[in-house]
Amino acid sequence: MSSSSRDALHFPESDRTFLEPSLPPQDGSTPRPDLPFTTLTFATSLDSSLSLAPGTRTALSGPQSKAMTHYLRSRHDGILIGVGTAVADDPGLNCRIAGVGGYGGEGLHGQPRPIVIDPSLKWDFSEGSKLFQMCREGRGRAPWIVTTVQEPPAEKAALMEAYGGRFITMNIPSSDSGSCRMDWRELLRVLRSNGLRSVMIEGGARVINSLLEPSYMALVDRVILTIAPTWLGQGGVVVSPARRLGEDGEPMSAARLKNVQWYPFGEDVVLCGEMKI
Ligand SMILES: NC(=O)c1ccc[n+]([C@@H]2O[C@H](COP(=O)([O-])OP(=O)(O)OC[C@H]3O[C@@H](n4cnc5c(N)ncnc54)[C@H](O)[C@@H]3O)[C@@H](O)[C@H]2O)c1
Ligand SMILES: Nc1nc(=O)c(N)c(NC[C@H](O)[C@H](O)[C@H](O)COP(=O)(O)O)[nH]1
């Protein structure tokens, strides 16, 4: 057995059935012609934390739901994270399900395209970064980095070119407070026009909270969450979108799901649903 096959994760056929209605259509069709099928998926604690603290990576999923996440990766063309996650996690952003490219399969079949939202190019990646290591080993694709920077540093540009990645330059307006706010519809359109028919958005909190704003939540076709039976406690990186006010000026819930199904999965529970618009 090759080392790649030994590392591979297994997600049994019997566990795949429940997910199928929540996954991008196998024929590559999309609900809207100009946008990819968009899945929001992450693992959360009981107190809505993604990790114990900014800049750290916290394992929440048990082995079965971790394998599920990798199966989801095999069913999407792209996997998107924010730069906060890239810096904290040094992620591989590849798929380790047995049978995909690099794990017993041909070429890079079943490997999603990593996309990192990095407006001011803060991610100091190098050939030593796990993502590039995966590329070298034929176990993952090079990233697309979405940025406002018109001319990335030559050394980073050369590395990206050598591995087949690219910078996607977008206009991301800054607010008065200095933080920038991307137009999710525009970004998803750009990804679709670059050939991606489906994208899974994994986080972190800033990415998720902004995607759950009223003007963007309709772009999310499916939500697939892993809920782990643990409280991470105060100080964690929390998913909690901005409160909305109703027509009467009273606070109302920020977002809600419909057509929800819950699946116990080892010690975790997996929730599949659609945004209630
Ligand atoms: N449990 C999970 O499933 C999971 C998933 C992903 C990340 N994480 C964890 O989350 C943490 C990182 O989360 P975070 O919130 O600090 O960072 P993040 O990954 O959301 O990245 C934040 C940065 O991305 C850019 N960005 C994000 N949304 C933007 C928008 N709408 N417009 C413009 N720029 C935008 C900005 O530069 C911002 O500073 C890490 O600890 C990571 O381990 C956990
Ligand atoms: N499903 C899931 N369960 C977890 O317990 C956990 N911590 C993550 N975290 C996701 C994550 O923070 C980013 O999507 C990564 O950065 C991906 O990194 P890898 O490709 O796995 O190396 N995701």
Side-chain angles (χ1 to χ4, degrees), residues 8-19 23 63-72 74 96-98 265 270:
L9 298 170
H10 295 269
F11 188 61
E13 284 297 331
S14 54
D15 287 338
R16 297 182 184 197
T17 318
F18 83 82
L19 278 177
L23 294 176
Q64 287 149 293
S65 30
K66 181 174 177 183
M68 180 202 73
T69 298
H70 279 262
Y71 177 64
L72 293 184
S74 75
R96 283 169 42 202
I97 283 290
F265 223 173
V270 169

Side-chain angles (χ1 to χ4, degrees), residues 79-87 91 93 113-119 121-123 125 131 142-147 160 166-168 182 187 191 203 207:
I79 170 173
L80 183 149
I81 59 164
V83 59
T85 301
V87 170
L93 293 179
R113 171 71 61 187
I115 300 141
V116 180
I117 309 301
D118 191 358
L121 292 187
K122 287 194 180 136
W123 183 30
F125 60 85
L131 206 153
W144 292 352
I145 298 183
V146 179
T147 184
M160 289 286 265
R166 74 169 94 138
F167 292 99
I168 297 179
M182 188 178 56
L187 172 71
L191 297 181
V207 161

Side-chain angles (χ1 to χ4, degrees), residues 42-43 50-51 56 82-85 89 119 180 182 202 204-207 210:
F42 56 92
L50 298 180
S51 65
T56 60
V83 59
T85 301
D89 291 9
C180 54
M182 188 178 56
E202 287 205 1
R206 167 102 198 267
V207 161
S210 68

Side-chain angles (χ1 to χ4, degrees), residues 107-134:
L108 290 173
H109 178 76
Q111 288 293 351
R113 171 71 61 187
I115 300 141
V116 180
I117 309 301
D118 191 358
S120 39
L121 292 187
K122 287 194 180 136
W123 183 30
D124 188 17
F125 60 85
S126 68
E127 273 196 296
S129 303
K130 189 166 165 208
L131 206 153
F132 289 92
Q133 189 188 320
M134 292 295 121

Side-chain angles (χ1 to χ4, degrees), residues 136-150:
R136 273 199 302 285
E137 294 172 3
R139 303 205 270 174
R141 294 182 196 270
W144 292 352
I145 298 183
V146 179
T147 184
T148 60
V149 177
Q150 299 282 346

